[in-house]
Amino acid sequence: MQHDDVVWAIINKTHCSHKVTTKTQHFCRNEFNLTGLCSRASCPLANSKYATIREENGIIYLYMKTAERVMFPAKQWEKVKLSRNFEKAIYQINENLLYWPAFIKAKCKQRFVKITQYLIRMRKLKLRRVKELVPIQRKIERRERRREEKALVAARIDNAIEKQLLDRLKKGTYNDIYNFPQMAFDAALKAEEISSESEKEDEEEEEEIEREMEPELERELERTVEQTDEFVEADSDMDTDEESDSGKKEDAYVASDFESETSDIEDIAKKTAQKKKPRVEIEYETEPIASLSRKKIKH
């Protein structure tokens, strides 16, 4: 059996590992202490019937100890989970501590209110945007900056040496090269291959564009040829009518509109001929004998 008075007399007068003494007051560091003070009513070791409230990972629990379970340390404390609703939690405390001392009831409710308040503050702080202060490591930054500068200088020197060697190789200053870095040689070959491939691609694109333009140019040429044929036939008719009996041609007046139209057609034909590489030659013949025979028959 546990004797509470004997335990308190030993703790109070002799040594207790949980006690903290100051000039004004004595405090208790036991995790199950209800008030945090070292006194007869609030000591969890000197009271066989004791209750307290604790918070674990945001959840509040009611711990109760009775004299029947004192002899079993593993089963000494009964744990009851309290509701998140404030009114329901107070009702649970009143129901579980129905016949307990009024001091323990009041202190349990007071501790429950304090824990709920600081949990609410914690949730609000988590939802807010909090500025995080990050220390600046100036020594490491300086070291990294120096290394970067040195690496850049070394890279520039290597690139300059490589360019110089490649220029000498192209010019043929060294007939037989020995101990030439294979990596740089391979990189130069790859660069030349890429440039040649890009040139080939450009030529193929130009050929495709020319192939696409060829049918359009042929159509334009056919149209211009048809138009010129029509105008040539008209000129031949006019020439045959104006010829005299002796077979000589006479001067005929041609309107300015006709000249402008023919000149426009000639300009179009020249432009199309300049665009397309192959040339088209048109040959036509007039038949003055037939026109003369027709005139004689009419007379």
Side-chain angles (χ1 to χ4, degrees):
M1 289 294 292
Q2 182 179 0
H3 297 280
D4 295 339
D5 295 330
V6 174
V7 173
W8 174 245
I10 294 166
I11 289 169
N12 190 24
K13 290 179 181 180
T14 59
H15 175 72
C16 179
S17 61
H18 300 290
K19 193 196 301 190
V20 178
T21 56
T22 60
K23 290 181 180 180
T24 56
Q25 210 168 9
H26 299 287
F27 295 98
C28 184
R29 290 185 297 185
N30 195 329
E31 58 182 3
F32 289 101
N33 195 307
L34 190 58
T35 58
L37 299 172
C38 184
S39 63
R40 175 72 177 80
S42 60
C43 183
L45 301 174
N47 291 292
S48 57
K49 195 175 183 181
Y50 195 78
T52 186
I53 286 175
R54 293 183 65 195
E55 177 262 326
E56 294 176 1
N57 299 322
I59 300 166
I60 303 169
Y61 295 96
L62 174 65
Y63 285 85
M64 294 176 289
K65 182 177 79 169
T66 56
E68 291 80 12
R69 291 193 299 273
V70 170
M71 304 305 293
F72 304 99
K75 301 176 182 179
Q76 189 175 9
W77 295 93
E78 184 184 355
K79 189 177 178 182
V80 178
K81 185 180 176 181
L82 298 176
S83 176
R84 286 179 177 269
N85 191 359
F86 186 79
E87 293 179 357
K88 287 182 180 179
I90 294 292
Y91 178 76
Q92 284 177 341
I93 291 166
N94 289 327
E95 189 177 0
N96 287 304
L97 305 177
L98 186 60
Y99 300 107
W100 288 57
F103 174 79
I104 291 172
K105 272 186 177 181
K107 292 298 177 182
C108 284
K109 290 175 185 176
Q110 187 180 359
R111 190 175 174 83
F112 173 74
V113 171
K114 285 183 180 180
I115 290 168
T116 50
Q117 286 175 354
Y118 82 67
L119 285 173
I120 289 163
R121 286 198 298 272
M122 283 171 66
R123 290 187 190 112
K124 285 182 180 178
L125 288 169
K126 282 182 180 179
L127 292 170
R128 284 183 193 172
R129 290 182 179 178
V130 181
K131 291 181 180 179
E132 188 178 356
L133 297 173
V134 180
I136 298 168
Q137 297 174 352
R138 295 188 181 276
K139 288 184 179 178
I140 294 168
E141 286 182 357
R142 285 177 202 157
R143 197 187 305 148
E144 288 178 355
R145 203 180 300 131
R146 285 173 195 159
R147 286 177 182 174
E148 286 176 0
E149 289 173 358
K150 288 178 182 178
L152 283 170
V153 171
R156 286 171 189 166
I157 292 164
D158 292 339
N159 289 329
I161 292 164
E162 187 179 349
K163 285 179 182 178
Q164 191 69 24
L165 288 170
L166 289 170
D167 291 335
R168 289 180 183 181
L169 178 64
K170 287 176 183 177
K171 289 175 183 178
T173 54
Y174 304 120
N175 293 325
D176 296 325
I177 296 172
Y178 301 101
N179 297 326
F180 192 83
Q182 190 66 26
M183 295 290 288
F185 191 73
D186 294 337
L189 288 174
K190 285 179 182 178
E192 289 179 359
E193 288 176 0
I194 290 163
S195 62
S196 63
E197 286 177 359
S198 62
E199 288 176 0
K200 287 179 182 178
E201 287 177 358
D202 294 334
E203 289 177 358
E204 288 176 358
E205 287 178 359
E206 288 178 359
E207 288 178 358
E208 287 178 359
I209 291 164
E210 287 179 358
R211 287 173 187 171
E212 290 176 357
M213 291 293 290
E214 277 180 3
E216 294 180 359
L217 292 170
E218 287 176 359
R219 289 172 190 170
E220 288 181 359
L221 282 169
E222 287 175 359
R223 289 174 188 171
T224 52
V225 168
E226 288 175 359
Q227 289 176 0
T228 51
D229 288 338
E230 289 175 1
F231 283 109
V232 166
E233 289 176 1
D235 290 337
S236 63
D237 293 336
M238 291 292 290
D239 291 337
T240 52
D241 291 336
E242 288 175 359
E243 282 179 353
S244 61
D245 296 333
S246 62
K248 294 181 180 179
K249 292 183 181 179
E250 296 179 358
D251 295 332
Y253 176 74
V254 180
S256 62
D257 296 334
F258 182 75
E259 288 178 357
S260 63
E261 288 176 359
T262 54
S263 63
D264 292 336
I265 291 159
E266 288 174 358
D267 293 335
I268 291 163
K270 286 178 182 179
K271 287 179 182 179
T272 53
Q274 288 175 0
K275 286 180 182 177
K276 186 170 173 61
K277 291 180 181 179
R279 296 181 180 178
V280 179
E281 292 182 0
I282 301 165
E283 293 182 1
Y284 60 92
E285 294 179 358
T286 56
E287 297 179 356
I289 298 164
S291 61
L292 288 169
S293 61
R294 284 177 188 173
K295 284 182 181 180
K296 287 178 182 179
I297 290 161
K298 286 178 182 178
H299 289 298

